[in-house]
Structures are given as structure tokens and as C-alpha cells.
Amino acid sequence: MENRELSRGTVGTIVLKLLSERTMYGYEIIKEVEQRTGGEFIWKEGTLYPALHKLEQGGLIASSWELASGKPRKYYSLTRSGAKALAAETGELRKFVSALNSIMMLEDCHEPA
Amino acid sequence: MENRELSRGTVGTIVLKLLSERTMYGYEIIKEVEQRTGGEFIWKEGTLYPALHKLEQGGLIASSWELASGKPRKYYSLTRSGAKALAAETGELRKFVSALNSIMMLEDCHEPA
DNA sequence: TTGGCATACATAGGAGCTCGATGTATTGTG
DNA sequence: CACAATACATCGAGCTCCTATGTATGCCAA
């Protein structure tokens, strides 16, 4: 993404969303985000790890170290509070995009099948 | 908006979009944005005025003082460079929303009429 | 075997943007 | 006549994300 300000405020919500689908570790999240967005969102370690720590401190996610192919990985999972936060933030995001469209008229809609 | 980070990076683009429709002055822009978004985007003076100055410095908009009902107003209009920037930034915004949807699946679509 | 790359964690510092607060001044209204 | 709305402007605070840096392991190729 060229405009580095746009992604602000979305990192935490995206992490919660991914963890609501399955347990994941940090590096895996970075790669998953990059893949799903077709390389549009490329997060740096300095972006994700502090965000994960903050989410854990807030009790929205929980972590546990596990061994995979000899390397220790810190797996994160969504807590009940995290699920609530995800719902709330998804609503905020939806309102934001809707408001943005009311002026910019981006019309990010798919063709009917 | 509750999440104050979301609006980051969108102010300049929204201003360009509004000025592409008609010439406007600062205070008018604030009210127009508030009205069109149904109160979702409420910009403060400390948000808009520095943004306007930066856009003008960059040559994307031009200003001229005019008198309306005794009060001096600084009217802004889009320059040719501004129109180009608007097109580019609109594309960026569209890609951003699309990438966001690829993970969050907000589906901000309207019902067919 | 040794160098390089991907993997995997982490933190500190800097930069940029928006908001809150504050200031000035005029117009319209109750 | 006081107050709200209009209309401009700036400064400092706060938050987030990126760059840079550091550590360490596993794997593959030369």
C-alpha cells in the first residue's frame, strides 16, 4: 500500500478476525494477511508483534508456546472478550467504509454471479 | 467515529473529492462532510485547516479570499494536479477497501433496486 | 561445511496524522 | 445584550506504524 496511513486502526481488528477462524502464530499471521490481500497489506514485525502484545495485555487474545519442527512458536487464540471486541470493531469498520463511500463513492461491489 | 485512527489518510482525499464537485471554504467542508456521512465523520478545525494548507502547499488546491455577508471566506478549488492526485488516491482507497474486505468481509453493498 | 535465506521472536526510536485546547473576530438570534 | 454559530488559525499531546536492529534456529545449495 502506498498510503501508509490508511491501514491505521485496522491491524488489531484484522488480527482478531483471523484468530476467530483458527489459532495462529505471529509470523503465520503476517504471511496470511499478505496472501489474502494479494500483497496489498504487508505488515512488518514492528507492526504485528507490539499489536499482539497489546491485544494480549487487554485480554482479547491468549498465547501459548508450542514446538513445531524444533522451533518454538507462540500460538495465539481469541478469548471471549476478543470475540466481543471483534464484533464491535467490525461494526465500526462497516460504518467507516459506508461513510467513506457516501462521499468517495468507491462502490466496492461484486458483480452478481 | 469511535476509532479515531481509521480516518487517517482519508482527509486529504475526501477534501479533493468535494472540491472536484464545487468550490468550497473550510468551514463549509467540515459541515458538508458531517452531513453526508450522517455524523460519522466530524472533523475538527485542527484536522481540516492544516490539511488544507498542506494541499495548497503541494499545489493540489488553490485559494482565494472572498467576502460573503461581511465575513471573509477563503475559498478553495481543485487544480489540475489536484485532479490527478484525486484519481490516484481514489484508486488507492479502492484497493485498500477491497483488501480490507478480503479479510473482514464487510460486504458494504447495496440491495439491487 | 559453510554461507545465505526463510523462519520466528522481540524492542527502541522516529515520523506522521488527528484531536483537544485555545485564540481572534464577526454575524445573527433570543 | 449575551450567546451561539460562523470562520479563520496554531500548538502540543497522543497514538500508531515503520525502520532498523538484534537474537536464534532450520534448511538447502554450493
Side-chain angles (χ1 to χ4, degrees):
Chain A
M1 189 159 33
E2 258 134 75
N3 188 336
R4 275 124 216 326
E5 304 299 324
L6 283 181
S7 59
R8 279 172 174 264
T10 63
V11 175
T13 309
I14 290 176
V15 168
L16 293 180
K17 173 67 176 173
L18 291 178
L19 294 182
S20 77
E21 299 175 6
R22 72 169 190 273
T23 296
M24 298 176 81
Y25 58 94
Y27 196 84
E28 188 184 11
I29 293 176
I30 289 178
K31 294 302 164 191
E32 181 79 12
V33 167
E34 183 175 346
Q35 197 202 355
R36 286 210 204 178
T37 63
E40 183 68 11
F41 293 174
I42 299 182
W43 292 350
K44 311 298 175 182
E45 289 95 330
T47 299
L48 181 65
Y49 290 118
L52 285 173
H53 301 158
K54 195 190 159 201
L55 288 173
E56 188 173 22
Q57 272 198 314
L60 304 185
I61 62 178
S63 68
S64 66
W65 285 94
E66 282 173 44
L67 275 171
S69 65
K71 281 190 288 190
R73 287 170 177 169
K74 203 173 181 180
Y75 279 87
Y76 289 94
S77 59
L78 201 66
T79 64
R80 214 166 286 184
S81 297
K84 277 190 190 176
L86 173 59
E89 290 174 26
T90 302
E92 281 298 313
L93 217 47
R94 197 174 279 122
K95 281 197 292 180
F96 168 74
V97 172
S98 176
L100 200 56
N101 266 323
S102 71
I103 295 179
M104 297 302 302
M105 295 191 278
L106 303 169
E107 306 293 353
D108 183 56
C109 288
H110 19 249
E111 295 293 316
Chain B
M1 191 162 27
E2 258 133 77
N3 188 334
R4 274 126 218 323
E5 303 299 324
L6 283 181
S7 59
R8 279 173 175 264
T10 62
V11 174
T13 308
I14 289 176
V15 167
L16 293 180
K17 173 67 175 173
L18 291 178
L19 294 182
S20 77
E21 298 175 7
R22 72 168 190 274
T23 297
M24 296 176 83
Y25 57 95
Y27 195 84
E28 187 184 10
I29 293 175
I30 290 178
K31 294 302 164 188
E32 182 79 11
V33 166
E34 184 176 346
Q35 197 203 355
R36 286 210 204 178
T37 64
E40 183 68 11
F41 293 174
I42 300 183
W43 293 349
K44 311 299 175 183
E45 289 93 330
T47 299
L48 180 63
Y49 290 117
L52 284 173
H53 300 157
K54 195 189 158 200
L55 288 172
E56 187 173 21
Q57 273 198 313
L60 304 185
I61 62 177
S63 67
S64 67
W65 285 94
E66 281 172 44
L67 276 171
S69 64
K71 282 190 288 191
R73 286 172 178 167
K74 202 172 181 180
Y75 280 88
Y76 289 95
S77 59
L78 201 68
T79 65
R80 214 166 285 183
S81 298
K84 278 190 190 174
L86 172 59
E89 291 174 26
T90 301
E92 281 299 313
L93 217 46
R94 196 174 280 121
K95 281 198 292 182
F96 169 74
V97 172
S98 176
L100 200 55
N101 265 323
S102 72
I103 296 179
M104 297 303 302
M105 296 190 278
L106 302 169
E107 306 293 354
D108 183 55
C109 287
H110 16 251
E111 296 294 316

